[in-house]
Amino acid sequence: MARILHEQTPTQQWWNHAVIYQIYPRSFASRHGQIGDLPGIIDHLGYLADLGIDAVWLSPFYLSPQKDAGYDVADYYRVDPMFGTNDDAIALINAVHEHGLRIIVDMVPNHTSDQHVWFQAALADPNSPQRQYYWFRDGKPDNHQPPNDWGSIFGSRAWTRVCDRADAPGSPWENDTQWYLHLFDSSQPDLNWDSPEVRAEFCNILRYWLDLGVDGFRVDVAHGLCKDPELPDWQFHWDMVSGGSKVPGDVPPPPQWNRPEVHEIYREWRAVLDEYGPDRALVAEAWVDNLDDMAKFVRADEMSQAFNFDFLCSPFTVNAYRTSIRKSLRAMDNVGAPTTWVLSNHDVVRVVSRMGLVETGKGPNGIRPTDPQPDAQLGMQRGLAAHLLQAGLPGSCYIYQGEELALPEHTGLSDDIRQDPAYFRTRGVEAGRDGCRIPMPWNSQLPGFGFSPSGETWLPQPEEWRDLAVDVQLSRSDSTLALFRRLFAARAELRMAQAQLCEVEEDSPWLHYISRHDTRDDVHILTVFDTPTPLPTGAEIIISSRALDEPTAPGESYTVPCNCTVWFTLSS
């Protein structure tokens, strides 16, 4: 008896069933130098259209000192010269649409750069109105301690005293001993969203990019905008990119994360987007403790999607995936929103490397040459199996650039070339995220694998990527690039994203789902973990993450090996 997990849904807005490709601009492609740029993206839009995706999401390209790779924004209205010009942005938006795709851009509302005009004004004058746009506060009575004990996500405390900055203003403010809050790097002061001026300005920023034609926004740290105004102490560490705080259950909720007030902001943003029609998307990056909290972000009058980090962080085990899929579909169905599946992004170790570690799941914050190394073959098998499973589930799915090439993490980077602030603020305890941000390999025969005209790359590429370059994979029908092209074509043709999903054999050592849509025969999705599993007699393979041995005699069927996902139909 098959258990229904999700009912068939009609085709709704495009994001309900889209495949969305994340572009990390500095590492995708360059037309001019060692840093990727917007013209470089334009040059490769044909490649993305041929891959079979529906939309692209760009990480930040705004003017920035690049202390956190662009997530420290100095001017939300201007493209950073390292990526091009505003005219290049307009050309990119138009070119994306000409290729039949949509474009989502990053919005970073939790904090600005300390070079933003607002913060510079606040720094220069304690009496400036801009001080109210951020969290400037007096320290504890002796003025040698910050206002509270909050820690930064990047390590160390979350407060910096104004007079301790190298650019602290001189007379008459040299005795300015106020502190400012930064839940990330000290160069990223947190905005105070209780300020009407902050809220009004971000509505203007949204309209500026909507006027240029963008189709939506991915909202960075969507759960972090509002803080308890009392700023109480909270002695625990919030490990955001592992899905939550991991603190004892009797501890009060964090006063700086996932406050209910954030939802009022996104209802306001939803109204702004609706001025441009019903087809503009808001996507939440919300690292929260449970799926019901995540579902609150995608209620009908708020956001369109929320990344399913529960799925990303799940270990590669049958019980972990089974539980995550059930809970995810139930939570999103309860609010009428699509489940948004994701396996990787610019903040986590690449999936084919994470899956090759002894402990799978979210994985460590970077891998050094001296750390335990992934099992490359095992990681490849598990990673591709996870991708085929994800693509078969109802809802939307995201793919991080290079996953279609099965690029592994660069685990050989030396510490002297690292650039991630997480590495420096943790004093090297964390390797950081540089290893998943290596420039893409386009041509195996060119310097820098064709990333830039000069062959220069802002981080070095591992030599092993030569055989994974796009030109090599385009020449082979058995490449992972060819597999992903077939996968996304089948997903669209079979309407897997809109189908009913039923679970079969709920306690088996494998996952077995049936995808049902009234336009076609049932499609079975089988993911095998540790025990090879025979398919039913008469199974007709649609796609498989690993090569299957052909049946050797009449009446026999395929056997699915370990760490493999297969889509198949059954002949009547």
Side-chain angles (χ1 to χ4, degrees):
M1 183 73 179
R3 171 188 179 187
I4 298 175
L5 299 183
H6 175 80
E7 292 289 358
Q8 178 176 321
T9 54
T11 300
Q12 298 172 326
Q13 284 296 345
W14 62 270
W15 58 75
N16 289 67
H17 52 82
V19 175
I20 302 174
Y21 186 99
Q22 182 190 355
I23 292 176
Y24 193 66
R26 65 168 48 220
S27 296
F28 187 68
S30 172
R31 193 187 288 179
H32 298 108
Q34 66 175 355
I35 302 288
D37 53 29
L38 301 187
I41 297 171
I42 294 173
D43 293 342
H44 292 282
L45 288 176
Y47 165 82
L48 295 177
D50 290 343
L51 182 59
I53 64 166
D54 301 290
V56 296
W57 152 38
L58 270 63
S59 293
F61 49 77
Y62 310 110
L63 184 68
S64 166
Q66 301 295 320
K67 295 289 185 66
D68 186 21
Y71 283 93
D72 49 323
V73 181
D75 187 341
Y76 293 85
Y77 296 97
R78 182 181 169 194
V79 173
D80 194 293
M82 75 163 51
F83 298 124
T85 65
N86 282 45
D87 286 342
D88 290 328
I90 294 168
L92 173 60
I93 293 166
N94 292 336
V96 166
H97 291 153
E98 289 167 2
H99 280 83
L101 305 174
R102 297 179 187 264
I103 182 168
I104 293 171
V105 299
D106 238 304
M107 188 53 57
V108 188
N110 179 70
H111 47 262
T112 70
S113 164
D114 61 1
Q115 302 305 303
H116 192 282
V117 63
W118 280 355
F119 190 78
Q120 287 295 299
L123 196 65
D125 182 354
N127 298 314
S128 70
Q130 287 81 7
R131 284 240 168 167
Q132 304 307 312
Y133 301 174
Y134 297 91
W135 291 93
F136 281 86
R137 294 292 185 273
D138 292 331
K140 290 183 177 178
D142 62 3
N143 262 336
H144 295 297
Q145 294 298 320
N148 64 29
D149 63 359
W150 295 358
S152 162
I153 290 294
F154 287 162
S156 190
R157 62 191 179 192
W159 295 89
T160 291
R161 191 165 52 175
V162 173
C163 65
D164 289 339
R165 286 181 58 103
D167 60 350
S171 180
W173 314 118
E174 65 270 9
N175 295 319
D176 182 0
T177 55
Q178 278 204 318
W179 302 68
Y180 67 89
L181 175 67
H182 51 86
L183 292 177
F184 293 86
D185 190 68
S186 58
S187 64
Q188 297 167 290
D190 278 49
L191 287 163
N192 179 2
W193 278 84
D194 292 334
S195 163
E197 289 81 5
V198 170
R199 292 177 69 145
E201 176 65 0
F202 270 84
C203 287
N204 290 336
I205 294 167
L206 295 177
R207 290 188 178 98
Y208 175 81
W209 290 102
L210 288 165
D211 285 339
L212 294 183
V214 303
D215 299 288
F217 303 91
R218 176 265 193 186
V219 183
D220 186 62
V221 195
H223 59 298
L225 274 58
C226 297
K227 285 80 174 170
D228 185 332
E230 299 300 318
L231 299 177
D233 281 345
W234 193 75
Q235 68 190 73
F236 302 95
H237 176 66
W238 181 271
D239 189 7
M240 189 178 79
V241 191
S242 290
S245 55
K246 314 303 182 191
V247 296
D250 58 349
V251 170
Q256 70 276 53
W257 299 113
N258 197 29
R259 300 275 300 173
E261 297 91 340
V262 301
H263 298 288
E264 180 184 345
I265 295 168
Y266 298 131
R267 284 190 284 272
E268 186 174 304
W269 285 21
R270 177 77 267 163
V272 170
L273 267 67
D274 286 347
E275 296 171 10
Y276 294 79
D279 61 344
R280 305 301 171 101
L282 278 175
V283 185
E285 184 211 29
W287 291 92
V288 295
D289 269 338
N290 62 71
L291 287 160
D292 288 334
D293 277 353
M294 183 176 73
K296 293 176 182 177
F297 286 85
V298 287
R299 290 173 290 194
D301 59 346
E302 293 189 41
M303 302 187 115
S304 314
Q305 297 178 322
F307 292 138
N308 188 347
F309 293 127
D310 185 84
F311 185 75
L312 182 152
C313 293
S314 291
F316 189 82
T317 67
V318 63
N319 289 331
Y321 272 0
R322 177 177 284 139
T323 300
S324 181
I325 290 168
R326 287 177 183 173
K327 289 167 53 182
S328 300
L329 290 170
R330 181 173 63 248
M332 296 300 109
D333 285 349
N334 284 343
V335 294
T339 305
T340 302
W341 310 100
V342 58
L343 284 168
S344 285
N345 58 39
H346 63 288
D347 283 331
V348 297
V349 170
R350 283 188 173 274
V351 65
V352 297
S353 295
R354 292 201 325 269
M355 296 294 187
L357 296 171
V358 173
E359 294 186 10
T360 53
K362 183 263 170 185
N365 292 326
I367 302 174
R368 286 189 175 90
T370 53
D371 292 333
Q373 296 297 295
D375 181 322
Q377 182 179 17
L378 180 62
M380 174 76 79
Q381 292 172 358
R382 288 173 170 174
L384 294 179
H387 272 293
L388 262 68
L389 170 63
Q390 169 183 273
L393 299 174
S396 178
C397 70
Y398 278 72
I399 175 173
Y400 178 48
Q401 66 180 42
E403 287 184 34
E404 74 279 12
L405 306 175
L407 296 181
E409 186 85 354
H410 192 346
T411 63
L413 292 173
S414 61
D415 287 347
D416 62 340
I417 62 173
R418 296 189 183 278
Q419 300 192 27
D420 188 354
Y423 169 76
F424 297 100
R425 287 190 63 86
T426 62
R427 294 180 171 86
V429 172
E430 295 181 3
R433 300 161 292 180
D434 294 315
C436 69
R437 300 175 174 183
I438 305 300
M440 283 273 286
W442 293 99
N443 190 310
S444 61
Q445 302 303 309
L446 295 177
F449 302 144
F451 172 75
S452 66
S454 67
E456 294 180 291
T457 60
W458 68 280
L459 283 173
Q461 301 150 310
E463 179 58 30
E464 65 189 288
W465 281 19
R466 184 178 302 278
D467 293 336
L468 300 175
V470 170
D471 68 316
V472 173
Q473 298 213 28
L474 284 174
S475 69
R476 293 173 42 196
S477 61
D478 63 344
S479 68
T480 56
L481 176 55
L483 174 67
F484 273 88
R485 286 183 166 190
R486 295 195 302 272
L487 174 65
F488 293 150
R491 182 182 184 273
E493 179 183 357
L494 298 170
R495 301 187 184 183
M496 302 293 280
Q498 299 106 301
Q500 180 190 75
L501 191 74
C502 302
E503 184 177 20
V504 186
E505 305 168 298
E506 298 180 22
D507 299 316
S508 65
W510 50 78
L511 296 178
H512 184 182
Y513 300 106
I514 299 176
S515 173
R516 289 181 169 148
H517 197 281
D518 56 19
T519 62
R520 52 143 167 95
D521 294 335
D522 289 350
V523 175
H524 295 251
I525 307 163
L526 183 71
T527 300
V528 173
F529 294 83
D530 301 318
T531 306
T533 305
L535 294 185
T537 302
E540 298 181 3
I541 306 298
I542 298 172
I543 193 166
S544 174
S545 65
R546 294 183 62 184
L548 305 183
D549 292 334
E550 294 283 346
T552 57
E556 291 186 359
S557 188
Y558 295 92
T559 294
V560 182
C562 298
N563 307 310
C564 180
T565 296
V566 175
W567 297 6
F568 64 93
T569 58
L570 291 174
S571 57
S572 55

